[in-house]
Amino acid sequence: MIGIVGGGIAGLAAAYRLQQHDYDVQVFEASNDLGGLAATYETNGDRIEKFYHHLSASEETIIDLIDELGLGDDLEWPIGKNAYYVDGVVHPLDKPWEILAYPHMSAYDKFRLTLLTQEIDVRGGIPKFDTYERLEDFEDVPIDEFLIEHTSRGVYENFFGPLLDAKFGSRKEDVSAAWLLGRIKFRGERDLLRGEPLGYLRGGFGRLIDALIEEVGTENITTGVRVSDIDTESGAVQSLTTEVTQAMEATAADGGTVDEESVTETHDVDDVVVAAMPNVLEDLTGYECDIDFQGAVCALVTMDESLTDTYWLNIGHEAPFGALIEHTNYIPPERYGGDHLLYVASYIQDYEEELWQMNDDEIEDLWLGHIEGMFPLWNRDSVKQFRLARNPRAAPVYERGYLDMVVPYDLSGDIADGIYYAGMASKAQYPERSLNGGIVAGYECADRIAGRKQVVSPN
């Protein structure tokens, strides 16, 4: 049996792929919910993700999996309109004429920005089309130096600078130029007359999680149980130990309090895939990962009326959140009982930051108050529900030298034979973390297990 630590999309994908290779699997998830960052809320219609999600056309692995699981006909590609909020004005930035009309960059700035997004290097006066092919060449290049050299200071200060502040905050200067180039490559082809099509699964990505659970089988998945140890004393994986806390019956003698006991169980396994954050890998095996992670605070605001006509609104001033993502300007509100759904999101670099210390009511008052200031005609009374999700490790900080810190899929040479890693610190989540990256990481580990044990007949 192959043991899988973590019931997020990477763990479920690893289990699904291993079963295709005819392996028995058992997934162990510490929480009572499956899906990780793809977990969902209920609405008055379709379910919706707690943290916003969409797909790019370049994410071929998840697209193929959706089709393989019989959901391909429900994968839609609507246009997600983008805009930039500066000085009280929402500036659309999808179509060429909208970009040309944007008043906060010069014509030269826009020219250089356009060439970078097309991966054309015009330094020296002669266009080059292969400068940006290898992300590794820019791993150690500071992102601010790169942008000023490869575009212009105006592009950096008036376009990318505020976005980097919102995304990385105090860690902005540590970020690698490779991350930005990877984001450019990550995006799909744009429709020049409409914008970029973005993929969304009708009914939400929770349907993909449900389909994976059905394929893997609930009998092969255990929730509410924590893996507490992996036995590798012989130099190879022998077993893993799970632990669950159970309540004991209260007695009259103890005044009605409920005692708890920890129940452990040992499972014989041939291999283990750790599909969790690297701190879990370290706790179980001692393997240390130097990658830093950001926390995320993300609200889903349910409203009677729309805030704007934009899907993704970047903010060009210092704000207590990084972006406003109005989901129902991308997917029709009719799918959600006519409600308008808005994500308000912010990243956290330090858990001592004020936002991370606030309670839900304080964040609601702060964020909605700031939105009122940005949009004086918007009526806060239209808010029907404010739900807040927090994750202390939502995404890596893609700092310089990141590739030297990624955790290998096969850790046999670092820990013990039979240990594999499919978490967010894997190479599949570079240069941007995504659902697609989780599936790729799960597949990579499963295929390595199958390949290592495959018997090849001699010619």
Side-chain angles (χ1 to χ4, degrees):
M1 183 186 78
I2 311 299
I4 299 172
V5 182
I9 197 164
L12 293 172
Y16 171 72
R17 187 77 152 198
L18 283 163
Q19 287 178 328
Q20 291 181 318
H21 289 304
D22 295 324
Y23 284 87
D24 292 327
V25 299
Q26 189 68 38
V27 178
F28 301 97
E29 168 57 42
S31 73
N32 292 317
D33 299 315
L34 297 165
L37 287 172
T40 59
Y41 291 125
E42 296 294 330
T43 75
N44 288 325
D46 293 344
R47 287 181 297 162
I48 188 169
E49 298 74 28
K50 294 181 179 181
F51 297 89
Y52 52 86
H53 288 289
H54 60 239
L55 301 182
S56 170
S58 65
E59 297 180 273
E60 296 177 355
T61 304
I62 190 172
I63 294 169
D64 290 344
L65 177 60
I66 288 171
D67 189 59
E68 194 173 309
L69 293 174
L71 301 174
D73 290 342
D74 290 333
L75 182 58
E76 306 170 312
W77 294 92
I79 298 294
K81 294 174 61 177
N82 294 274
Y84 214 138
Y85 180 97
V86 183
D87 296 337
V89 179
V90 174
H91 300 278
L93 287 177
D94 285 312
K95 305 175 183 67
W97 54 89
E98 293 172 342
I99 296 171
L100 286 172
Y102 183 63
H104 298 285
M105 289 193 296
S106 68
Y108 176 73
D109 291 339
K110 295 169 189 174
F111 170 70
R112 293 298 299 270
L113 174 60
T114 299
L115 290 177
L116 177 64
T117 61
Q118 298 301 310
E119 300 182 57
I120 301 171
D121 181 10
V122 293
R123 295 173 303 156
I126 301 175
K128 296 174 63 179
F129 300 89
D130 60 354
T131 299
Y132 309 120
E133 284 186 1
R134 284 173 37 88
L135 297 183
E136 294 86 348
D137 294 341
F138 298 90
E139 259 293 293
D140 296 317
V141 179
I143 195 169
D144 53 348
E145 293 180 12
F146 171 84
L147 284 168
I148 292 169
E149 180 183 350
H150 290 255
T151 58
S152 68
R153 183 169 292 278
V155 171
Y156 175 70
E157 293 180 350
N158 299 318
F159 187 80
F160 282 112
L163 302 183
L164 292 169
D165 284 332
K167 174 73 173 176
F168 295 107
S170 61
R171 298 298 304 275
K172 176 178 72 172
E173 294 181 358
D174 299 329
V175 177
S176 160
W179 169 78
L180 177 64
L181 288 171
R183 287 293 299 266
I184 292 171
K185 293 177 182 293
F186 185 77
R187 305 302 292 269
E189 295 184 4
R190 300 180 68 85
D191 184 318
L192 290 177
L193 297 180
R194 297 191 304 149
E196 182 184 2
L198 300 172
Y200 193 76
L201 187 60
R202 187 182 182 98
F205 289 106
R207 292 185 62 206
L208 173 59
I209 301 299
D210 292 344
L212 279 171
I213 293 170
E214 183 176 355
E215 286 293 322
V216 172
T218 55
E219 70 278 10
N220 299 313
I221 301 170
T222 305
T223 59
V225 60
R226 183 178 68 88
V227 176
S228 58
D229 185 58
I230 301 174
D231 180 5
T232 59
E233 285 188 10
S234 66
V237 170
Q238 300 296 315
S239 64
L240 61 78
T241 301
T242 58
E243 181 179 303
V244 61
T245 301
Q246 296 181 342
M248 300 172 63
E249 278 191 31
T251 63
D254 63 18
T257 60
V258 178
D259 293 329
E260 294 181 338
E261 66 173 353
S262 181
V263 178
T264 62
E265 186 176 354
T266 299
H267 307 263
D268 292 332
V269 292
D270 299 307
D271 300 287
V272 173
V273 177
V274 179
M277 296 301 293
N279 62 300
V280 175
L281 178 68
E282 182 176 356
D283 289 343
L284 292 174
T285 69
Y287 184 95
E288 295 183 7
C289 173
D290 293 328
I291 293 173
D292 289 334
F293 285 82
Q294 303 172 300
V297 182
C298 185
L300 181 70
V301 186
T302 304
M303 308 178 295
D304 285 328
E305 61 185 43
S306 181
L307 179 66
T308 72
D309 64 353
T310 299
Y311 169 55
W312 194 288
L313 184 62
N314 290 306
I315 313 298
H317 67 265
E318 187 174 343
F321 42 75
L324 297 172
I325 301 122
E326 194 160 350
H327 180 81
T328 43
N329 288 333
Y330 167 54
I331 302 300
E334 289 75 22
R335 304 268 182 90
Y336 308 98
D339 287 334
H340 296 266
L341 302 178
L342 169 73
Y343 287 107
V344 188
S346 183
Y347 285 102
I348 300 296
Q349 311 304 324
D350 185 336
Y351 303 123
E352 296 303 316
E353 288 182 31
E354 184 179 5
L355 184 63
W356 192 255
Q357 300 297 322
M358 288 182 174
N359 63 39
D360 291 8
D361 290 339
E362 291 171 331
I363 293 176
E364 178 178 0
D365 187 60
L366 174 68
W367 282 3
L368 295 184
H370 196 87
I371 292 172
E372 281 183 310
M374 292 172 63
F375 300 95
L377 297 180
W378 178 69
N379 187 355
R380 184 170 175 171
D381 292 339
S382 71
V383 174
K384 300 168 64 175
Q385 193 173 19
F386 185 97
R387 288 177 280 187
L388 202 67
R390 306 171 190 246
N391 190 297
R393 297 179 182 88
V397 177
Y398 291 98
E399 60 187 300
R400 298 191 296 281
Y402 185 88
L403 278 179
D404 293 331
M405 297 185 284
V406 297
V407 180
Y409 299 118
D410 185 346
L411 287 164
S412 58
D414 299 275
I415 303 172
D417 191 34
I419 297 286
Y420 296 83
Y421 181 72
M424 200 182 289
S426 67
K427 191 173 181 180
Q429 300 289 14
Y430 173 88
E432 180 67 304
R433 62 101 171 91
S434 64
L435 296 178
N436 185 75
I439 295 167
V440 170
Y443 281 8
E444 290 281 357
C445 291
D447 291 347
R448 279 167 169 76
I449 291 172
R452 180 172 62 87
K453 295 189 175 180
Q454 185 178 17
V455 177
V456 180
S457 300
N459 293 329

